[in-house]
Amino acid sequence: MEDQAHQTGPTAGPDHEQPWAELADLVLIISREIQFRGYTDERAVPLSPSEGMVMRYLQREPAAPPSRIATATGLQRTNLSTVLGGLERKGLVERRADPGDGRGVTVHTTERGRTNYALVRQEWAAAVSEATDHDTEHLDAALTLLTAVETGLARTRPRNRATRPAAES
């Protein structure tokens, strides 16, 4: 039986785009596999994909206004508000009055948020490393390529959602 997720052919675009389509397909599959397995450590706090995006951003920017988080993650402000509420209830972030502008707020990671992020990254690393039998031969090249893809996609993200987001398949 042929795996339809890796189907190539005339509907997949020009031949020179086939490897890129395959890469995108594999990234989505790998992401789902990592999410599917969950966590072995009971201290790990599971996150939705949107919560994970916000926490990843806050690891680089530990204090940021919601508008900057929304822009960086591609979330709409109304959706971000819901996500931040969930992260607050889980004890992973807190909102504080902006010291430069008392009317605004900044979002900060808590110690629990930083600890949780480190814990889940450790589990992801173990799972991915084990899946490859700890083979690091092409790891640096893969990281370089995937970082370039992520940077380019974020840079060219549409500013408004005039188009429908891709559905998970």
Side-chain angles (χ1 to χ4, degrees):
M1 175 180 250
E2 184 179 329
D3 182 354
Q4 296 299 314
H6 297 285
Q7 181 178 8
T8 59
T11 60
D15 286 343
H16 69 278
E17 292 180 354
Q18 294 302 320
W20 295 109
E22 188 69 16
L23 176 67
D25 219 9
L26 286 170
V27 167
L28 292 169
I29 292 166
I30 291 166
S31 174
R32 183 67 184 131
E33 286 295 326
I34 291 170
Q35 289 175 330
F36 177 75
R37 64 182 48 248
Y39 304 112
T40 59
D41 191 317
E42 70 252 3
R43 297 172 300 164
V45 178
L47 302 176
S48 72
S50 293
E51 288 173 330
M53 285 189 323
V54 169
M55 290 306 296
R56 270 188 291 287
Y57 177 76
L58 288 172
Q59 299 310 302
R60 293 187 308 263
E61 296 285 333
S67 59
R68 193 174 336 140
I69 297 169
T71 299
T73 60
L75 292 171
Q76 294 180 3
R77 286 290 303 266
T78 53
N79 294 345
L80 178 63
S81 181
T82 301
V83 169
L84 290 176
L87 290 171
E88 282 181 306
R89 284 188 294 282
K90 293 175 181 179
L92 304 176
V93 302
E94 60 187 12
R95 293 184 237 203
R96 299 181 196 157
D98 186 338
D101 177 6
R103 297 171 295 162
V105 298
T106 54
V107 179
H108 299 257
T109 56
T110 62
E111 182 59 34
R112 183 175 189 205
R114 288 184 293 278
T115 301
N116 189 66
Y117 190 72
L119 180 64
V120 299
R121 279 179 58 94
Q122 186 176 26
E123 290 219 15
W124 298 337
V128 172
S129 177
E130 186 176 317
T132 64
D133 292 326
H134 311 284
D135 180 0
T136 61
E137 182 179 353
H138 302 290
L139 185 57
D140 289 339
L143 290 171
T144 299
L145 176 61
L146 291 172
T147 299
V149 170
E150 186 273 334
T151 300
L153 289 172
R155 185 183 63 247
T156 60
R157 180 187 303 135
R159 292 202 183 269
N160 62 8
R161 280 270 177 109
T163 58
R164 295 187 334 235
E168 206 175 309
S169 44

